[in-house]
Amino acid sequence: MACENGGFVIPDTRMPTPFRIAPSILSADFARLGEEVRNVIHAGADWIHFDVMDNHYVPNLTFGPMVCQALKPHARTADGRPVPIDVHLMIAPVDALAGAFIDAGADLVSFHPDASTHVHRSVQAIKARGCQAGLTFNPAQPLDVLDWVIDDIDLILIMSVNPGFGGQGFIDSALRKIEQARKRIEASGKDIRLEVDGGIKADNIRRVADAGADTFVAGSAIFGKPDYKAVIDAMRAALA
Ligand code: DX5
Ligand code: ZN
Protein backbone atom coordinates (compact mmCIF):
# COMPACT_ATOMS: atom_id res chain seq x y z
CA MET A 1 0.00 0.00 0.00
CA ALA A 2 1.27 3.49 -0.76
CA CYS A 3 -0.09 7.02 -0.73
CA GLU A 4 0.69 9.89 -3.11
CA ASN A 5 2.12 13.14 -1.79
CA GLY A 6 3.25 15.89 -4.16
CA GLY A 7 4.33 13.39 -6.78
CA PHE A 8 6.29 11.26 -4.34
CA VAL A 9 5.03 7.82 -3.44
CA ILE A 10 5.34 7.36 0.29
CA PRO A 11 5.05 3.84 1.68
CA ASP A 12 2.05 3.79 4.00
CA THR A 13 3.49 2.11 7.05
CA ARG A 14 0.18 2.51 8.86
CA MET A 15 -1.43 -0.18 6.72
CA PRO A 16 -0.99 -3.52 8.48
CA THR A 17 -0.69 -6.70 6.49
CA PRO A 18 -4.17 -8.22 6.21
CA PHE A 19 -2.90 -11.58 7.40
CA ARG A 20 -1.95 -12.42 10.97
CA ILE A 21 0.05 -15.43 12.12
CA ALA A 22 -0.70 -16.45 15.68
CA PRO A 23 1.66 -19.11 17.03
CA SER A 24 0.03 -21.26 19.70
CA ILE A 25 2.28 -21.64 22.71
CA LEU A 26 0.52 -24.92 23.47
CA SER A 27 3.38 -26.51 21.51
CA ALA A 28 6.12 -24.34 23.05
CA ASP A 29 8.59 -25.51 25.70
CA PHE A 30 6.63 -24.87 28.91
CA ALA A 31 9.86 -24.76 30.92
CA ARG A 32 10.94 -21.68 28.94
CA LEU A 33 7.67 -19.96 28.07
CA GLY A 34 8.79 -16.32 28.33
CA GLU A 35 11.80 -16.99 26.13
CA GLU A 36 9.64 -18.95 23.67
CA VAL A 37 7.21 -16.01 23.39
CA ARG A 38 10.09 -13.59 22.77
CA ASN A 39 11.70 -15.91 20.25
CA VAL A 40 8.54 -16.47 18.24
CA ILE A 41 7.81 -12.73 18.19
CA HIS A 42 11.36 -12.14 17.00
CA ALA A 43 10.65 -14.74 14.28
CA GLY A 44 7.69 -12.66 13.06
CA ALA A 45 4.61 -13.69 15.06
CA ASP A 46 1.76 -11.15 14.88
CA TRP A 47 -0.23 -12.46 17.83
CA ILE A 48 0.44 -14.94 20.64
CA HIS A 49 -2.30 -17.60 20.78
CA PHE A 50 -2.91 -18.76 24.34
CA ASP A 51 -4.90 -22.02 24.65
CA VAL A 52 -6.72 -22.39 27.95
CA MET A 53 -7.96 -25.92 28.69
CA ASP A 54 -9.80 -27.03 31.82
CA ASN A 55 -10.01 -30.86 31.70
CA HIS A 56 -13.78 -30.42 31.62
CA TYR A 57 -14.82 -28.74 28.38
CA VAL A 58 -11.83 -30.48 26.74
CA PRO A 59 -9.86 -33.50 27.98
CA ASN A 60 -6.65 -31.59 28.63
CA LEU A 61 -5.37 -29.05 31.12
CA THR A 62 -3.04 -26.14 30.38
CA PHE A 63 -2.53 -22.77 32.00
CA GLY A 64 -4.50 -20.03 33.72
CA PRO A 65 -4.54 -16.26 34.13
CA MET A 66 -1.37 -16.19 36.26
CA VAL A 67 0.64 -17.59 33.38
CA CYS A 68 -0.94 -15.05 31.02
CA GLN A 69 0.03 -12.26 33.41
CA ALA A 70 3.58 -13.59 33.69
CA LEU A 71 3.93 -13.69 29.91
CA LYS A 72 2.45 -10.25 29.25
CA PRO A 73 5.77 -8.36 29.61
CA HIS A 74 7.34 -10.78 27.12
CA ALA A 75 4.66 -10.10 24.48
CA ARG A 76 6.50 -7.19 22.87
CA THR A 77 8.63 -6.71 19.81
CA ALA A 78 12.30 -5.84 20.25
CA ASP A 79 11.40 -2.15 19.73
CA GLY A 80 8.73 -2.31 22.43
CA ARG A 81 5.54 -2.63 20.39
CA PRO A 82 2.96 -4.74 22.23
CA VAL A 83 1.98 -8.01 20.57
CA PRO A 84 -1.64 -9.01 21.24
CA ILE A 85 -2.33 -12.01 23.46
CA ASP A 86 -5.12 -13.98 21.83
CA VAL A 87 -6.76 -16.06 24.57
CA HIS A 88 -8.72 -19.08 23.35
CA LEU A 89 -10.86 -20.34 26.20
CA MET A 90 -11.69 -24.05 26.06
CA ILE A 91 -13.38 -23.93 29.43
CA ALA A 92 -16.88 -24.18 30.89
CA PRO A 93 -18.29 -22.09 32.40
CA VAL A 94 -16.82 -19.05 30.68
CA ASP A 95 -17.64 -15.87 32.58
CA ALA A 96 -15.59 -15.91 35.79
CA LEU A 97 -12.30 -16.81 34.14
CA ALA A 98 -12.83 -14.57 31.10
CA GLY A 99 -12.62 -11.56 33.42
CA ALA A 100 -9.52 -12.94 35.11
CA PHE A 101 -7.77 -13.27 31.75
CA ILE A 102 -8.67 -9.70 30.83
CA ASP A 103 -7.17 -8.55 34.13
CA ALA A 104 -4.10 -10.63 33.26
CA GLY A 105 -3.56 -8.74 30.00
CA ALA A 106 -5.53 -10.61 27.33
CA ASP A 107 -6.17 -8.46 24.26
CA LEU A 108 -8.73 -10.81 22.71
CA VAL A 109 -10.80 -13.45 24.48
CA SER A 110 -12.61 -16.11 22.46
CA PHE A 111 -14.92 -18.76 23.86
CA HIS A 112 -17.03 -21.62 22.58
CA PRO A 113 -20.73 -20.69 22.50
CA ASP A 114 -21.74 -24.15 23.72
CA ALA A 115 -19.64 -23.53 26.86
CA SER A 116 -21.74 -20.54 27.93
CA THR A 117 -25.38 -20.66 28.98
CA HIS A 118 -25.84 -17.01 27.96
CA VAL A 119 -23.65 -16.31 24.97
CA HIS A 120 -24.76 -12.72 24.45
CA ARG A 121 -24.14 -11.92 28.10
CA SER A 122 -20.66 -13.47 28.00
CA VAL A 123 -19.78 -11.42 24.90
CA GLN A 124 -21.05 -8.24 26.52
CA ALA A 125 -19.10 -8.96 29.70
CA ILE A 126 -15.85 -9.26 27.71
CA LYS A 127 -16.57 -6.11 25.68
CA ALA A 128 -17.52 -4.14 28.77
CA ARG A 129 -14.00 -4.73 30.10
CA GLY A 130 -12.49 -3.10 27.01
CA CYS A 131 -11.36 -6.40 25.51
CA GLN A 132 -12.08 -7.80 22.05
CA ALA A 133 -14.46 -10.75 22.00
CA GLY A 134 -14.49 -13.82 19.76
CA LEU A 135 -16.69 -16.85 19.23
CA THR A 136 -15.16 -20.23 18.48
CA PHE A 137 -16.80 -23.03 16.48
CA ASN A 138 -15.94 -26.70 16.78
CA PRO A 139 -15.71 -28.83 13.63
CA ALA A 140 -19.25 -30.26 13.96
CA GLN A 141 -20.87 -27.03 15.11
CA PRO A 142 -23.02 -24.73 12.94
CA LEU A 143 -22.55 -20.98 12.80
CA ASP A 144 -26.21 -20.23 13.59
CA VAL A 145 -25.54 -18.33 16.80
CA LEU A 146 -23.90 -15.65 14.64
CA ASP A 147 -27.40 -14.69 13.43
CA TRP A 148 -27.83 -13.02 16.80
CA VAL A 149 -24.41 -11.83 17.94
CA ILE A 150 -22.27 -11.07 14.90
CA ASP A 151 -22.71 -7.32 15.41
CA ASP A 152 -21.19 -7.62 18.88
CA ILE A 153 -18.02 -9.59 18.21
CA ASP A 154 -14.54 -8.82 16.88
CA LEU A 155 -13.39 -12.30 15.91
CA ILE A 156 -14.72 -15.60 14.61
CA LEU A 157 -12.46 -18.57 15.33
CA ILE A 158 -13.08 -21.69 13.24
CA MET A 159 -11.67 -24.90 14.68
CA SER A 160 -10.14 -27.09 12.00
CA VAL A 161 -9.39 -29.79 14.60
CA ASN A 162 -11.33 -30.92 17.64
CA PRO A 163 -10.18 -28.76 20.55
CA GLY A 164 -7.89 -30.14 23.21
CA PHE A 165 -4.60 -31.06 21.61
CA GLY A 166 -1.94 -29.76 19.27
CA GLY A 167 -0.51 -31.71 16.37
CA GLN A 168 -3.77 -33.01 14.88
CA GLY A 169 -4.61 -33.15 11.17
CA PHE A 170 -6.59 -30.40 9.45
CA ILE A 171 -10.29 -31.27 8.97
CA ASP A 172 -11.21 -30.31 5.40
CA SER A 173 -14.86 -29.46 6.10
CA ALA A 174 -13.53 -26.42 7.99
CA LEU A 175 -12.88 -24.85 4.58
CA ARG A 176 -16.61 -24.77 3.82
CA LYS A 177 -17.30 -23.30 7.22
CA ILE A 178 -14.66 -20.61 6.68
CA GLU A 179 -16.38 -19.71 3.40
CA GLN A 180 -19.72 -19.45 5.20
CA ALA A 181 -18.21 -17.35 7.97
CA ARG A 182 -16.61 -15.00 5.44
CA LYS A 183 -20.01 -14.50 3.77
CA ARG A 184 -21.57 -13.68 7.12
CA ILE A 185 -18.81 -11.17 7.89
CA GLU A 186 -19.27 -9.49 4.51
CA ALA A 187 -23.06 -9.35 4.99
CA SER A 188 -22.57 -7.79 8.42
CA GLY A 189 -20.38 -5.00 7.05
CA LYS A 190 -18.35 -5.26 10.27
CA ASP A 191 -14.60 -5.39 10.75
CA ILE A 192 -14.34 -8.93 12.12
CA ARG A 193 -11.24 -11.13 12.02
CA LEU A 194 -11.67 -14.69 10.72
CA GLU A 195 -9.19 -16.94 12.47
CA VAL A 196 -8.58 -20.65 11.91
CA ASP A 197 -7.09 -23.00 14.47
CA GLY A 198 -5.70 -26.50 14.04
CA GLY A 199 -3.49 -28.36 11.61
CA ILE A 200 -2.26 -25.20 9.84
CA LYS A 201 1.08 -25.56 8.08
CA ALA A 202 2.97 -23.74 5.34
CA ASP A 203 1.64 -26.22 2.79
CA ASN A 204 -2.08 -25.73 3.51
CA ILE A 205 -2.25 -22.11 4.71
CA ARG A 206 -2.92 -20.79 1.20
CA ARG A 207 -6.02 -22.98 0.82
CA VAL A 208 -7.28 -21.75 4.17
CA ALA A 209 -6.70 -18.13 3.14
CA ASP A 210 -8.42 -18.72 -0.20
CA ALA A 211 -11.48 -19.94 1.71
CA GLY A 212 -11.57 -16.55 3.46
CA ALA A 213 -9.46 -16.75 6.62
CA ASP A 214 -7.18 -13.85 7.54
CA THR A 215 -5.67 -15.05 10.83
CA PHE A 216 -3.89 -18.36 11.30
CA VAL A 217 -3.09 -20.22 14.50
CA ALA A 218 -0.18 -22.62 14.22
CA GLY A 219 1.30 -24.54 17.12
CA SER A 220 3.22 -27.69 16.25
CA ALA A 221 4.09 -26.45 12.75
CA ILE A 222 6.12 -23.60 14.30
CA PHE A 223 7.28 -24.82 17.71
CA GLY A 224 7.96 -28.31 16.38
CA LYS A 225 10.72 -26.97 14.15
CA PRO A 226 14.07 -25.53 15.29
CA ASP A 227 13.85 -22.41 13.09
CA TYR A 228 10.60 -20.55 13.87
CA LYS A 229 11.41 -17.75 11.43
CA ALA A 230 11.86 -20.18 8.55
CA VAL A 231 8.36 -21.60 9.17
CA ILE A 232 6.69 -18.18 9.56
CA ASP A 233 8.50 -16.89 6.46
CA ALA A 234 7.32 -19.96 4.51
CA MET A 235 3.75 -19.29 5.67
CA ARG A 236 3.97 -15.65 4.61
CA ALA A 237 5.45 -16.66 1.25
CA ALA A 238 2.54 -19.05 0.71
CA LEU A 239 0.12 -16.25 1.58
CA ALA A 240 1.80 -13.63 -0.61
C1 DX5 B 1 -6.27 -27.02 19.97
C2 DX5 B 1 -5.77 -25.62 20.13
C3 DX5 B 1 -4.85 -25.15 19.07
C4 DX5 B 1 -3.57 -25.94 18.97
C5 DX5 B 1 -3.25 -26.00 17.51
O1 DX5 B 1 -7.31 -27.22 20.83
O2 DX5 B 1 -6.86 -24.71 20.15
O3 DX5 B 1 -4.57 -23.77 19.19
O4 DX5 B 1 -2.48 -25.38 19.64
O5 DX5 B 1 -2.16 -26.81 17.35
P1 DX5 B 1 -1.64 -27.27 15.92
O6 DX5 B 1 -1.30 -26.02 15.16
O7 DX5 B 1 -0.48 -28.12 16.26
O8 DX5 B 1 -2.77 -28.03 15.26
ZN1 ZN C 1 -6.45 -22.54 20.07
Side-chain angles (χ1 to χ4, degrees), residues 144-159:
D144 301 7
V145 67
L146 291 175
D147 288 348
W148 311 107
V149 288
I150 196 162
D151 289 338
D152 301 298
I153 61 174
D154 305 286
L155 176 85
I156 297 170
L157 175 53
I158 304 294
M159 294 306 297

Side-chain angles (χ1 to χ4, degrees), residues 22-27 49-53 58 88 90 112 136 157 159-170 197-201 217-222:
S24 163
I25 58 169
L26 182 64
S27 291
H49 186 79
F50 192 97
D51 286 305
V52 183
M53 304 184 188
V58 290
H88 172 193
M90 289 162 271
H112 291 247
T136 307
L157 175 53
M159 294 306 297
S160 40
V161 297
N162 287 295
F165 302 95
Q168 304 178 78
F170 186 89
D197 187 0
I200 303 282
K201 303 184 184 323
V217 176
S220 54
I222 294 174

Side-chain angles (χ1 to χ4, degrees), residues 1-14:
M1 271 289 182
C3 58
E4 302 267 347
N5 184 348
F8 296 99
V9 176
I10 300 169
D12 187 351
T13 51
R14 295 165 307 173

Side-chain angles (χ1 to χ4, degrees), residues 18-41:
F19 295 123
R20 300 273 188 280
I21 293 177
S24 163
I25 58 169
L26 182 64
S27 291
D29 180 350
F30 282 10
R32 300 186 296 114
L33 266 186
E35 188 186 338
E36 289 276 70
V37 166
R38 292 197 308 277
N39 286 346
V40 84
I41 289 171

